[in-house]
Amino acid sequence: MSETTLVLIKPGGVARNLIGEITRRIELRGLKVTGMKLMNAPRSTVEEHYAEHRERPFFGDVVDYLCSGPIVAMAISGENATKAIRMMMGATNPVEAEPGTVRGDMALTIEDNLVHSSSDPEAAARELGLWFPEGTV
Ligand code: CDP
Ligand code: MG
């Protein structure tokens, strides 16, 4: 079933000029970019985005990281988009991510793992509401 999911290219990915490479892979897969914006993320939005991790020891660091430079927020649509994107991005810790995934090919540390992708369709709906309150195309 066609669905829409959220991808964030984190500040490290934007700083390393990987917007094109990451988007290229998504488009090659046959998924559609249905929302895209380059922005300095408001801290309150990032805190809400990672609300499930509020009590975790890395929460402050990951919020600081997402606010450390511009990010790209993308809405991605297609068949099983959430699962497909999640597999393409690879394991959270890049040293455990398979080669061929974004994290497995382009990242090395969990603190700078380049991308966020929604974990399931319910998370995707919540996150899209947060990053694209105006809706997608
Ligand atoms: O991003 P993903 O859904 O794969 O992982 P998560 O478990 O939801 O964690 C969110 C983000 O927090 C990760 O992508 C990392 O940037 C960061 N994190 C971290 O810095 N150290 C950890 N031990 C776990 C997560
Ligand atoms: Mg997550």
Side-chain angles (χ1 to χ4, degrees), residues 10 50 52-53 56 58 61-62 65-66 86 90-93 103 110-119:
K10 296 178 178 180
Y50 279 133
E52 63 170 319
H53 296 311
R56 309 280 289 278
F58 59 83
D61 288 340
V62 74
Y65 172 49
L66 268 283
R86 190 86 183 157
T92 305
N93 189 341
R103 286 164 169 171
I110 197 165
E111 295 81 16
D112 191 14
N113 61 6
L114 298 182
V115 282
H116 165 81
S117 59
S118 308
S119 55

Side-chain angles (χ1 to χ4, degrees), residues 29-81:
R29 191 74 192 277
L31 295 162
K32 282 266 177 274
V33 177
T34 51
M36 185 178 225
K37 55 189 171 189
L38 177 68
M39 64 193 291
N40 287 300
R43 195 170 183 89
S44 56
T45 305
V46 175
E47 286 176 347
E48 187 63 30
H49 173 79
Y50 279 133
E52 63 170 319
H53 296 311
R54 197 157 261 152
E55 306 306 324
R56 309 280 289 278
F58 59 83
F59 180 72
D61 288 340
V62 74
V63 172
D64 285 346
Y65 172 49
L66 268 283
C67 295
S68 67
I71 65 164
V72 173
M74 285 195 279
I76 303 296
S77 303
E79 288 291 309
N80 298 308

